[in-house]
Amino acid sequence: MHKVAVVSYGTSKFSKESKLSLFELACQPCIEILKKNKITKHKIDAVLFSTCSPEQYGSNIICEMLDIHPRISHRIESLCNSGTNAIVSAYSYISSGLCDSVLVVGAEKASTPANRLIWDISRGSFTYPVCWAALFARAHMRKYGTTEEQMAMISVMNHISAEKNPNALFKHKITLTDVMHSRKIVEPIKLLDCSYTCDGSSAVLLLSEHKAKEATDNPVWIKGIGQHTVGASFNKVTHDDLTTNRATRIAAQMAYNMSDFSPHDIDIVELHDAFTILQILAYEDLGFTEKGEGGKFNHQNEIAINPRGGILGCGHPLGATGLAQTAEVAAQLSEKAGKRQIKGCKTGLVHNLAAAGTSATVIILGV
Amino acid sequence: MHKVAVVSYGTSKFSKESKLSLFELACQPCIEILKKNKITKHKIDAVLFSTCSPEQYGSNIICEMLDIHPRISHRIESLCNSGTNAIVSAYSYISSGLCDSVLVVGAEKASTPANRLIWDISRGSFTYPVCWAALFARAHMRKYGTTEEQMAMISVMNHISAEKNPNALFKHKITLTDVMHSRKIVEPIKLLDCSYTCDGSSAVLLLSEHKAKEATDNPVWIKGIGQHTVGASFNKVTHDDLTTNRATRIAAQMAYNMSDFSPHDIDIVELHDAFTILQILAYEDLGFTEKGEGGKFNHQNEIAINPRGGILGCGHPLGATGLAQTAEVAAQLSEKAGKRQIKGCKTGLVHNLAAAGTSATVIILGV
């Protein structure tokens, strides 16, 4: 099993309505990566395109626009964790020895058809994920006394972090009162408890060990990978317990086992805060705090959480999110996060959910 | 690099209008595979779904319908070679050691939006691949004296083979006269020179070496893989030579190198005959005959060609085609091809094109 490094990354500005097409958006961070690393078109072995857009053969189109001619090229979709699915795929291409270099790019337009869950008719007319986030929130409040203020605080914190991120959709501070008084969407979830589907793109270049050492003095290595899929319906997600995300717990355990790290070793995390309650569940399911204690975990100082602003602060271009999360953790670990740099972080974790919790990816990175 | 085996496979009936939904179609061959191999739901590490359908999170849906809970699950699309892209991805998951078992399933409905190439505006209003096949045909006729009868003969041969395939869309013999007198689509290509986009599905189970040896006495191994992507536009496909498919030539060379086989070692091939001219180009680009001799290669007896009936005889459910090709070669090599069995074949090749030749996959299998 060959080692795999994240060597370069780029993220576009996330916006409500970019003037760029899906493919122009996708190319933007790739151009940055190719220029920065002086990579010629012959040196990319695979291009994987993560998106929920129905556009056909998008990966080929991106190759043409970038004038690169890889061996492998296809589109990957698994709703909101398409991005980390593509990264794990890239990892396996390199780790197996089939490829030395894989460019993974994710892009989405706010008009994506992927923000509703229409297949599972047991959801009735409640096809928007917010309906299901509300059930998680209610259950956690009931069982553990988690409060609306604790959830609201997560939005406040992630918006504060996003202020330092020039690419974030939301760059203004918000107060606890703003969140608490924002429009109710589905009781107890308010507008500012929700992330915003937007336009955006992000790309990551993965290299094999020998190529990474040629390219950079401080590669960031993929140390652990965990993934789990429970199915497609809400019934499968919950397993009679609405206060936990089973896919995350299983994926996290797998990633910790593979990496030989434990939750205590994690210095920095980008976790899937599409709704504030999901951040509380993630604290617990990733093992950072005891079950039921998530609401109080906001005030710890051990782990840097969502330093780029998370999904709440940055916006949620679905197919790009997992890549933007990975790009942030890699930037932090290689001390290239600029104004947002967290000092001395050595080990980071990416947590990316899909489809109201039906699948989860956990990736552990380290220097 | 761990060895990877194709251990089981299944293919649905290909039809013009199946009563099954995309997902019901997709599950059909999977159920067959799971039953045949007595595989429990815990033993599938990844499910990869190959389709050009715009349906979201189809892989999760298939997992739910089959009641399997894999780690990795996503949809892969690269137009007509989505299927072999998914197989190569599965190969790398196993070869890297991330997975022991990957179920790859492809399915398509005839109503797929993927049978036109609308991104490349240099194609003008000629968005159907047949327009481009006509250019290849004209060029080959002009340069090498290939005749319309030689092309027509390919359709006749593949329809004869399809007669022995209970899943093929076309199960009736056709004559040279039938093809020659069929409706002109784009000069010199006639209706019976073209394949037919249809409903269908196919699935393949890949296992790691130790799992394969537990599961079967005669695994078929993936011995060589080659892929190449030139871009997305017609201009990139041709490189000023309309008589060859560059992506195929590069992919084939890569697969031969990896496997240490040469064209002379191949006993059986499923090649991408979406149009009759493509079979002639493939003969040459895969190295079975000299450049320009493809038209005369029909009458050789060394290699069994498209024994299931090829795309012309079977129909072309885009996302399923690469899987159905691989399933056929694996069945032949493990002597389970029933009435179609070619005696004594040890080494087989799958050739799968996409998007009017902008990308190609070549996979070499052996016992």
Side-chain angles (χ1 to χ4, degrees):
Chain A
M1 211 157 168
H2 305 266
K3 282 172 76 178
V4 180
V6 175
V7 165
S8 194
Y9 33 79
T11 299
S12 78
K13 274 195 195 309
F14 289 4
S15 67
K16 289 194 181 178
E17 205 177 348
S18 152
K19 283 183 186 133
L20 303 180
S21 75
L22 179 75
F23 299 119
E24 288 166 335
L25 256 178
C27 286
Q28 228 182 30
C30 298
I31 291 167
E32 200 183 309
I33 287 172
L34 296 175
K35 266 194 195 157
K36 205 164 26 184
N37 296 277
K38 297 186 191 99
I39 291 170
T40 60
K41 58 187 174 186
H42 307 294
K43 288 203 174 149
I44 303 285
D45 294 328
V47 173
L48 303 179
F49 179 36
S50 158
T51 189
C52 303
S53 152
E55 295 270 3
Q56 301 291 329
Y57 81 135
S59 185
N60 282 38
I61 291 170
I62 291 166
C63 291
E64 169 114 11
M65 288 170 74
L66 296 172
D67 195 23
I68 51 181
H69 312 146
R71 291 189 256 145
I72 297 161
S73 156
H74 59 251
R75 172 166 66 116
I76 286 179
E77 179 269 326
S78 169
L79 291 181
C80 305
N81 69 9
S82 304
T84 49
N85 265 277
I87 286 179
V88 175
S89 215
Y91 172 92
S92 74
Y93 279 125
I94 295 172
S95 181
S96 69
L98 268 193
C99 293
D100 274 320
S101 56
V102 183
L103 181 64
V104 188
V105 50
E108 205 77 55
K109 299 289 283 181
S111 56
T112 179
N115 51 6
R116 290 177 65 194
L117 301 162
I118 50 175
W119 175 81
D120 175 17
I121 52 171
S122 73
R123 294 181 199 262
S125 47
F126 304 108
T127 54
Y128 288 100
V130 64
C131 305
W132 309 97
L135 288 184
F136 289 125
R138 270 273 174 248
H140 212 273
M141 290 166 74
R142 201 161 40 227
K143 188 161 177 188
Y144 299 117
T146 301
T147 65
E148 293 185 45
E149 286 78 5
Q150 285 171 335
M151 290 191 270
M153 199 56 213
I154 283 166
S155 191
V156 173
M157 286 161 36
N158 290 354
H159 277 78
I160 289 173
S161 301
E163 260 199 305
K164 292 186 198 152
N165 183 352
N167 296 322
L169 177 63
F170 299 108
K171 280 187 285 286
H172 52 275
K173 271 203 191 83
I174 54 171
T175 65
L176 196 62
T177 317
D178 290 337
V179 185
M180 293 299 289
H181 289 181
S182 65
R183 181 160 60 88
K184 287 260 164 68
I185 305 293
V186 181
E187 188 85 47
I189 297 196
K190 303 158 204 80
L191 183 66
L192 291 174
D193 284 307
C194 305
S195 61
Y196 193 97
T197 310
C198 68
D199 287 16
S201 63
S202 182
V204 167
L205 178 68
L206 289 94
L207 296 181
S208 62
E209 186 170 6
H210 71 278
K211 293 281 175 195
K213 287 181 173 166
E214 277 170 30
T216 176
D217 293 333
N218 54 350
V220 172
W221 304 101
I222 293 184
K223 304 230 169 175
I225 289 173
Q227 287 187 283
H228 190 71
T229 302
V230 295
S233 70
F234 191 69
N235 174 48
K236 296 283 178 185
V237 178
T238 62
H239 249 234
D240 296 331
D241 184 356
L242 282 160
T243 65
T244 183
N245 181 260
R246 214 157 52 92
T248 297
R249 277 192 292 126
I250 295 171
Q253 202 48 60
M254 216 177 281
Y256 289 133
N257 288 347
M258 180 172 161
S259 66
D260 273 337
F261 286 124
S262 81
H264 302 291
D265 299 311
I266 305 300
D267 301 315
I268 176 176
V269 60
E270 275 290 333
L271 54 78
H272 196 96
D273 59 326
F275 300 100
T276 52
I277 182 63
L278 296 186
Q279 182 149 332
I280 290 176
L281 295 190
Y283 289 157
E284 302 172 2
D285 293 331
L286 295 171
F288 298 146
T289 187
E290 295 299 309
K291 198 71 227 153
E293 300 293 310
K296 300 170 201 146
F297 190 71
N298 287 336
H299 304 290
Q300 59 81 42
N301 290 307
E302 306 266 298
I303 306 172
I305 293 161
N306 288 343
R308 73 183 179 115
I311 299 175
L312 286 161
C314 287
H316 193 8
L318 312 186
T321 285
L323 291 153
Q325 292 178 310
T326 307
E328 177 68 14
V329 170
Q332 292 283 355
L333 297 183
S334 49
E335 301 200 344
K336 288 178 185 161
K339 277 204 285 184
R340 301 193 297 284
Q341 185 63 50
I342 312 292
K343 277 194 187 143
C345 45
K346 304 281 179 219
T347 309
L349 184 147
V350 173
H351 166 242
N352 192 195
L353 286 177
T358 53
S359 68
T361 311
V362 172
I363 299 174
I364 296 175
L365 298 137
V367 288
Chain B
M1 211 157 169
H2 305 266
K3 282 174 76 177
V4 180
V6 175
V7 165
S8 194
Y9 32 80
T11 298
S12 78
K13 274 195 195 307
F14 289 3
S15 68
K16 289 195 179 176
E17 204 177 347
S18 151
K19 283 182 184 131
L20 302 180
S21 75
L22 180 74
F23 300 119
E24 287 167 334
L25 256 178
C27 286
Q28 227 182 30
C30 298
I31 291 168
E32 198 184 311
I33 287 173
L34 296 175
K35 266 195 198 157
K36 205 165 23 183
N37 296 276
K38 298 189 190 96
I39 291 170
T40 61
K41 57 189 174 186
H42 307 294
K43 289 204 175 149
I44 302 286
D45 293 329
V47 173
L48 303 179
F49 180 36
S50 158
T51 188
C52 303
S53 153
E55 296 269 4
Q56 301 292 329
Y57 81 134
S59 185
N60 282 38
I61 292 170
I62 291 165
C63 292
E64 169 116 10
M65 289 171 73
L66 296 172
D67 196 23
I68 52 181
H69 313 145
R71 289 191 257 145
I72 297 160
S73 155
H74 59 249
R75 173 166 67 116
I76 286 179
E77 180 270 325
S78 171
L79 290 181
C80 305
N81 69 10
S82 303
T84 49
N85 266 277
I87 286 178
V88 175
S89 215
Y91 172 92
S92 74
Y93 279 123
I94 295 172
S95 180
S96 69
L98 268 193
C99 293
D100 275 318
S101 55
V102 183
L103 180 65
V104 187
V105 49
E108 206 75 57
K109 298 288 284 181
S111 56
T112 179
N115 51 7
R116 290 178 63 193
L117 301 162
I118 50 175
W119 175 82
D120 175 17
I121 53 172
S122 73
R123 294 181 198 262
S125 48
F126 304 107
T127 54
Y128 288 100
V130 64
C131 305
W132 309 97
L135 288 184
F136 289 124
R138 271 271 175 248
H140 212 273
M141 289 166 74
R142 199 159 46 227
K143 189 162 176 187
Y144 299 116
T146 301
T147 65
E148 294 185 45
E149 286 77 6
Q150 286 170 334
M151 291 191 270
M153 200 55 215
I154 284 167
S155 191
V156 173
M157 284 161 36
N158 290 354
H159 277 78
I160 289 173
S161 301
E163 262 198 304
K164 291 187 199 153
N165 182 351
N167 296 321
L169 178 62
F170 299 108
K171 280 186 285 284
H172 52 273
K173 270 201 191 88
I174 54 171
T175 65
L176 196 63
T177 317
D178 290 337
V179 185
M180 292 299 290
H181 288 182
S182 64
R183 183 159 60 87
K184 286 260 164 69
I185 305 294
V186 181
E187 188 86 48
I189 297 198
K190 302 157 205 81
L191 183 66
L192 292 174
D193 284 308
C194 305
S195 61
Y196 192 97
T197 310
C198 68
D199 288 14
S201 63
S202 182
V204 167
L205 177 69
L206 288 94
L207 296 181
S208 62
E209 186 170 4
H210 70 279
K211 293 281 176 195
K213 287 181 174 166
E214 278 169 29
T216 174
D217 293 333
N218 54 350
V220 172
W221 303 101
I222 293 184
K223 303 230 169 175
I225 290 174
Q227 288 187 281
H228 191 71
T229 303
V230 294
S233 71
F234 192 68
N235 173 46
K236 296 282 178 186
V237 179
T238 62
H239 250 233
D240 296 331
D241 185 355
L242 282 161
T243 64
T244 181
N245 180 261
R246 213 158 52 92
T248 297
R249 275 192 294 124
I250 295 171
Q253 201 48 60
M254 214 178 285
Y256 289 132
N257 288 347
M258 179 172 162
S259 65
D260 275 337
F261 286 123
S262 81
H264 302 290
D265 299 311
I266 305 300
D267 301 313
I268 174 175
V269 60
E270 274 291 333
L271 54 77
H272 197 96
D273 58 327
F275 301 100
T276 51
I277 181 63
L278 296 186
Q279 182 149 332
I280 290 176
L281 295 190
Y283 289 156
E284 301 171 2
D285 294 330
L286 295 170
F288 298 147
T289 187
E290 294 298 310
K291 198 72 228 153
E293 301 292 311
K296 300 171 203 147
F297 190 71
N298 287 337
H299 304 290
Q300 59 81 43
N301 291 308
E302 304 267 298
I303 305 173
I305 292 161
N306 287 343
R308 73 181 178 116
I311 299 175
L312 286 162
C314 288
H316 193 8
L318 312 185
T321 285
L323 291 154
Q325 292 178 310
T326 308
E328 177 69 13
V329 171
Q332 292 284 354
L333 297 184
S334 48
E335 302 200 345
K336 289 177 186 160
K339 277 204 286 185
R340 304 191 296 284
Q341 185 63 49
I342 312 292
K343 276 194 187 146
C345 45
K346 303 280 179 217
T347 309
L349 185 149
V350 173
H351 166 243
N352 192 195
L353 285 176
T358 53
S359 69
T361 310
V362 173
I363 300 174
I364 296 175
L365 298 136
V367 287

